[in-house]
Amino acid sequence: MVFLAASLAWSGAGAQQPAGIELAGVRFEPTQAVQGQTLRLNGAGIRYKAVFKVYAAGLYLPQPAASAAEIAAMPGAKRLTITMLRDIDSEELGRLFYRGVESNMDRTSFSRLVPGMVRMGQIFSAHKKLLAGDNFYVDWLPGTGMLITVKGQPQGEPFKEPEFFDALLGVWLGPNPADWRLKDALLGKPAG
């Protein structure tokens, strides 16, 4: 049932705006304002590790999208929001992101992103632990870059390269996503 609820999102140009979604006690509003732009909830879902709920994620975009390629080509601000559903060591989370990006790119492209990946790992390791209920955003802000906000606090300077944001989204939307059900939910695909 949770996955069915996660799939209620934008699914095409004629789709009606969802009223918002609640998953495992986490509310995803139908819209969020980012950099003065209204973004719409494209989809939301839960990341499972075995049978355990790890976090709930929501993807906000200027317009509906059904693929990572559409999202990469889309102009404007974008936001991925993640709320922890269980406690996790932040350093471990950083390592998982590193591996997730690496498994969704060729070696040459990934090697260009290593300095940024190290910096991102440092951002998460500085927090020691993320507790159930803690959240963070990964925003793409045109003219600024990718900004990570943890527990309401922006973390350092933006990452300027658009390919870095697209590569990070690959953790969830790439050819080898962390969780296929979550990928489908974020892309607004109905549960199958």
Side-chain angles (χ1 to χ4, degrees):
M1 292 306 282
V2 170
F3 183 69
L4 178 62
S7 297
L8 299 174
W10 287 90
S11 60
Q16 296 297 313
Q17 181 176 341
I21 297 170
E22 186 167 320
L23 300 171
V26 177
R27 176 97 178 130
F28 294 95
E29 296 299 334
T31 62
Q32 288 196 5
V34 176
Q35 201 180 36
Q37 184 177 3
T38 299
L39 302 183
R40 294 176 180 91
L41 181 64
N42 195 70
I46 294 176
R47 165 70 166 111
Y48 286 89
K49 182 82 168 168
V51 298
F52 300 104
K53 295 175 184 176
V54 181
Y55 55 78
L59 180 62
Y60 289 86
L61 301 170
Q63 60 201 30
S67 73
E70 286 179 55
I71 295 166
M74 186 180 296
K78 302 164 194 167
R79 170 174 281 175
L80 179 74
T81 176
I82 294 179
T83 301
M84 304 309 298
L85 298 176
R86 56 184 295 208
D87 298 355
I88 188 166
D89 178 85
S90 298
E91 197 169 315
E92 176 187 351
L93 189 62
R95 281 193 305 270
L96 292 173
F97 288 162
Y98 186 95
R99 282 194 296 250
V101 169
E102 184 178 32
S103 69
N104 282 286
M105 299 183 79
D106 63 74
R107 287 185 185 267
T108 304
S109 299
F110 180 75
S111 67
R112 289 192 295 266
L113 299 179
V114 168
M117 293 302 301
V118 169
R119 187 172 149 228
M120 193 181 77
Q122 291 168 340
I123 287 172
F124 283 100
S125 65
H127 289 276
K128 305 294 182 222
K129 197 169 202 127
L130 290 174
L131 306 176
D134 286 348
N135 68 356
F136 64 92
Y137 302 134
V138 179
D139 289 332
W140 174 252
L141 307 171
T144 301
M146 185 184 88
L147 185 63
I148 298 174
T149 302
V150 180
K151 301 181 214 175
Q153 298 297 314
Q155 304 295 302
E157 293 297 313
F159 296 76
K160 301 290 186 190
E161 308 83 6
E163 57 274 6
F164 193 85
F165 177 77
D166 295 337
L168 188 59
L169 278 186
V171 171
W172 299 277
L173 305 178
N176 301 302
D179 182 319
W180 282 96
R181 293 181 300 174
L182 178 57
K183 176 181 178 175
D184 287 347
L186 291 173
L187 293 175
K189 295 180 180 178

